[in-house]
Amino acid sequence: MYADLFLTLLFSVLLCKEATCATNQTFPNYFKFGVATASYQVEGAWNEDGKGENIWDHLCHTNPDFVDDRSNGDIACDSYHKYKDDVAMLKDLGVDFYRFSLSWSRLIPLGLAGSPVNQAGIDYYKNLIQELVNNNIEPLVTIFHWDLPETLQEYGGFPNPEIEEHFAYYARVVFKNFGDSVKYWLTFNEPLQTCHEGYGIGFTAPGYKSSGLAEYKCTHTLIKAHARAYHVYDEEFRTQQQGYVGIAPDTYWYEPASGSVSDQEAAERALQFTYGWFANPIFNGNYPSVMIERIDERSKLQGFASSRLPKFTDEEVEYIKGTHDFLAINAYSTLYVQAKEEEVDTAVISYDSDLNVDTFFDDSWEESASSWLRVVPWGMRKLLNWLSKTYNHPEIFITENGVSDTGGLNDDRRINYYREYLSNVLEAILDDGVNVTRYTAWSLMDNFEWARGYTEKYGLYSVNFDDPGRPRTSKASASYYSSVISSKCLVDNCE
Ligand code: BGC
């Protein structure tokens, strides 16, 4: 294995062209490396020990064709039973932290505020956290990673403002039970995908298609729920627990397709309609003005009595503003952006027409197994610079970055991806002065990749899903990542 790694590194150092050579500088000592997973994607045990049904259980069981290979997360990687194996893998990798998510319906089967808490669920996460702590691995916990309790969906899901109350109850339960050991929290993973894909275009559970309408209501509730959880922490737990709370929105880097003003404005607008949609209320107060203006104007032309983008009251703006202790970003790829004719088609109601840009990949960019993801390492550096500038130089955690293939243990392309992306992260830190302090690889192991089922693999470890024991095997990328973590260096010889 190590001989292979040596050859791979040597090969890449000999062959790299100047523009894509990984930097041979080292990551600062304070920099932390981790890996991530999410409850529905790895845990399995979907109906064991009192766990309630969630929207992914429901969707996969009632509409199996929704998932490419008609699979589901009933067993997944079986981490519910094999969490000690997962921690052993983390230990082998040498990671500083493990980002995992909690299953809301495992902890509160009905999801509803005031409803019973499932002690077996509490015990499971306590055991996992204890195992991490025993092995010197810091837990970084995502409170919500897409698996809404089905009962709450029956109440309308995130477009229903009452979800804020239920989420506040859930957040209080998790801070209370796990906050002595967990110091880093993310309220929501990729809220854009929860709302745009879940309630806008229907690509993920619950599979609703109400673009430009329910998806805006969804984000409105979700942002308020995030702020509520932050304040619950602040008021009831922070003094004693001394932890940090943030949210993990995602975006592409949007590169203007030309130097024209209209393309540059279009690219900035795309960033504001994705990352800014969540970060602007939380960092600066209120939705980005470009979203407010465009959606207000279009709603009026379309004959709506009020804007399709709900309004925060002045009190809400103040309550939401500042609810962050760091900035988190999930980022994988880049798109070119071109401006479009600014004609409003009053018959078309959608987020895409509110944004109104054309996006495309360059044909020369290396493909992955996921149609939405091409390998564009320089986009990471540009994105980090944009985030730093736009949000006033915050501490930045990269909470997800990675690439898919269709399987195999000799995953040289994944090694190249990590090396080149990390090289751009390092340049952003050392050459541009961006304050990135954590990097999280997606993912620890191959897992249930949502609507793609088990057809796309993102893991550093492979899992044999045909074997009931779900054995895990390390890939070449695991040894590469582990050597980066121990040396803080991307090539075989750092300065
Ligand atoms: C999600 C993960 C997912 C990964 C790869 C992210 O959007 O947070 O759950 O597996 O991308 O698609």
Side-chain angles (χ1 to χ4, degrees):
M1 181 68 84
Y2 285 103
D4 283 359
L5 177 65
F6 177 74
L7 286 178
T8 311
L9 291 176
L10 186 68
F11 183 70
S12 64
V13 170
L14 291 177
L15 282 194
C16 71
K17 294 178 223 87
E18 213 174 314
T20 57
C21 274
T23 173
N24 62 356
Q25 306 179 86
T26 48
F27 279 88
N29 272 337
Y30 58 78
F31 196 85
K32 293 190 173 176
F33 292 93
V35 291
T37 61
S39 46
Y40 188 74
Q41 295 181 271
V42 301
E43 279 178 12
W46 81 277
N47 59 355
E48 274 181 56
D49 296 340
K51 175 180 162 294
E53 191 186 29
N54 66 43
I55 55 174
W56 275 95
D57 296 319
H58 187 80
L59 182 70
C60 293
H61 294 156
T62 55
N63 181 9
D65 289 330
F66 192 90
V67 178
D68 285 355
D69 55 4
R70 307 186 96 246
S71 64
N72 54 52
D74 286 3
I75 303 172
C77 306
D78 202 19
S79 288
Y80 186 71
H81 299 109
K82 295 178 71 78
Y83 70 90
K84 288 193 177 172
D85 294 32
D86 296 350
V87 178
M89 279 143 59
L90 295 162
K91 184 84 183 155
D92 279 351
L93 283 172
V95 291
D96 299 298
F97 65 93
Y98 178 41
R99 176 183 171 219
F100 63 94
S101 80
L102 306 174
S103 159
W104 190 340
S105 64
R106 190 179 297 290
L107 289 165
I108 306 169
L110 291 175
L112 295 162
S115 67
V117 173
N118 179 28
Q119 189 55 43
I122 300 278
D123 293 346
Y124 168 63
Y125 293 114
K126 280 205 162 154
N127 291 338
L128 168 59
I129 292 166
Q130 194 52 52
E131 188 73 8
L132 290 169
V133 171
N134 291 347
N135 284 283
N136 250 325
I137 300 165
E138 181 183 54
L140 191 163
V141 173
T142 315
I143 301 175
F144 179 81
H145 195 129
W146 302 1
D147 42 1
L148 187 74
E150 177 59 20
T151 321
L152 295 182
Q153 186 49 43
E154 282 158 22
Y155 279 88
F158 278 101
N160 179 350
E162 286 170 19
I163 297 288
E164 177 189 335
E165 203 54 47
H166 304 305
F167 188 74
Y169 173 74
Y170 170 41
R172 186 174 284 111
V173 166
V174 306
F175 294 145
K176 181 165 169 258
N177 282 282
F178 311 126
D180 284 344
S181 308
V182 176
K183 301 299 164 197
Y184 287 92
W185 298 96
L186 294 165
T187 52
F188 289 97
N189 175 70
E190 300 194 357
L192 174 69
Q193 307 311 334
T194 295
C195 294
H196 180 59
E197 297 206 325
Y199 296 88
I201 56 176
F203 283 8
T204 58
Y208 273 39
K209 293 187 181 152
S210 175
S211 191
L213 293 165
E215 70 181 317
Y216 291 142
K217 294 194 169 169
C218 170
T219 58
H220 205 67
T221 310
L222 190 151
I223 292 166
K224 290 204 278 183
H226 157 82
R228 263 299 277 290
Y230 186 93
H231 286 288
V232 164
Y233 192 77
D234 243 13
E235 285 153 26
E236 302 171 35
F237 301 96
R238 191 186 289 278
T239 316
Q240 204 200 324
Q241 297 183 351
Q242 303 275 311
Y244 304 88
V245 182
I247 182 170
D250 62 297
T251 183
Y252 283 95
W253 168 246
Y254 290 101
E255 176 75 8
S258 78
S260 73
V261 172
S262 55
D263 283 355
Q264 288 183 26
E265 279 174 5
E268 175 67 22
R269 188 157 78 244
L271 287 161
Q272 293 297 346
F273 264 73
T274 51
Y275 200 84
W277 191 354
F278 306 93
N280 209 71
I282 291 167
F283 280 73
N284 304 328
N286 217 341
Y287 293 115
S289 51
V290 69
M291 287 191 82
I292 299 176
E293 283 155 21
R294 291 177 73 88
I295 301 168
D296 285 5
E297 186 203 341
R298 280 167 165 68
S299 304
K300 201 181 276 171
L301 290 169
Q302 288 159 341
F304 286 88
S306 59
S307 179
R308 289 180 281 106
L309 185 69
K311 302 272 178 238
F312 292 121
T313 63
D314 291 348
E315 293 74 44
E316 285 170 345
V317 167
E318 284 311 309
Y319 185 77
I320 295 164
K321 188 174 162 181
T323 53
H324 58 86
D325 299 324
F326 52 83
L327 180 147
I329 172 72
N330 286 5
Y332 289 83
S333 192
T334 288
L335 281 166
Y336 273 125
V337 187
Q338 214 160 35
K340 279 167 84 168
E341 255 330 283
E342 280 292 0
E343 250 176 290
V344 181
D345 181 343
T346 51
V348 179
I349 293 161
S350 73
Y351 164 86
D352 280 347
S353 62
D354 291 335
L355 167 58
N356 200 40
V357 298
D358 276 327
T359 57
F360 57 94
F361 290 125
D362 189 303
D363 284 343
S364 70
W365 293 344
E366 184 185 329
E367 292 182 38
S368 69
S370 310
S371 57
W372 57 270
L373 196 174
R374 294 245 186 156
V375 182
V376 196
W378 52 262
M380 177 59 102
R381 181 171 177 181
K382 290 198 174 198
L383 176 60
L384 291 170
N385 273 276
W386 181 85
L387 291 167
S388 184
K389 192 168 118 242
T390 309
Y391 301 103
N392 202 16
H393 311 292
E395 179 175 6
I396 299 178
F397 295 177
I398 297 169
T399 37
E400 273 184 37
N401 177 241
V403 70
S404 59
D405 58 22
T406 51
L409 299 181
N410 294 320
D411 54 345
D412 292 350
R413 289 170 66 173
R414 178 167 293 106
I415 293 177
N416 286 336
Y417 180 98
Y418 280 130
R419 183 192 304 106
E420 298 303 330
Y421 271 72
L422 279 165
S423 179
N424 278 276
V425 173
L426 192 46
E427 280 161 358
I429 298 170
L430 298 180
D431 301 342
D432 310 335
V434 179
N435 186 19
V436 187
T437 58
R438 287 180 190 246
Y439 176 87
T440 319
W442 183 272
S443 175
L444 170 61
M445 61 193 146
D446 296 340
N447 55 52
F448 178 76
E449 183 49 35
W450 308 114
R452 304 284 81 80
Y454 297 98
T455 63
E456 296 178 6
K457 320 280 187 191
Y458 280 86
L460 295 165
Y461 286 75
S462 125
V463 177
N464 183 351
F465 294 101
D466 296 326
D467 185 324
R470 296 297 192 268
R472 288 97 155 103
T473 313
S474 78
K475 302 183 189 177
S477 57
S479 337
Y480 174 70
Y481 193 46
S482 149
S483 76
V484 170
I485 297 171
S486 60
S487 63
K488 296 209 165 359
C489 163
L490 300 173
V491 293
D492 54 352
N493 209 348
C494 271
E495 280 171 348

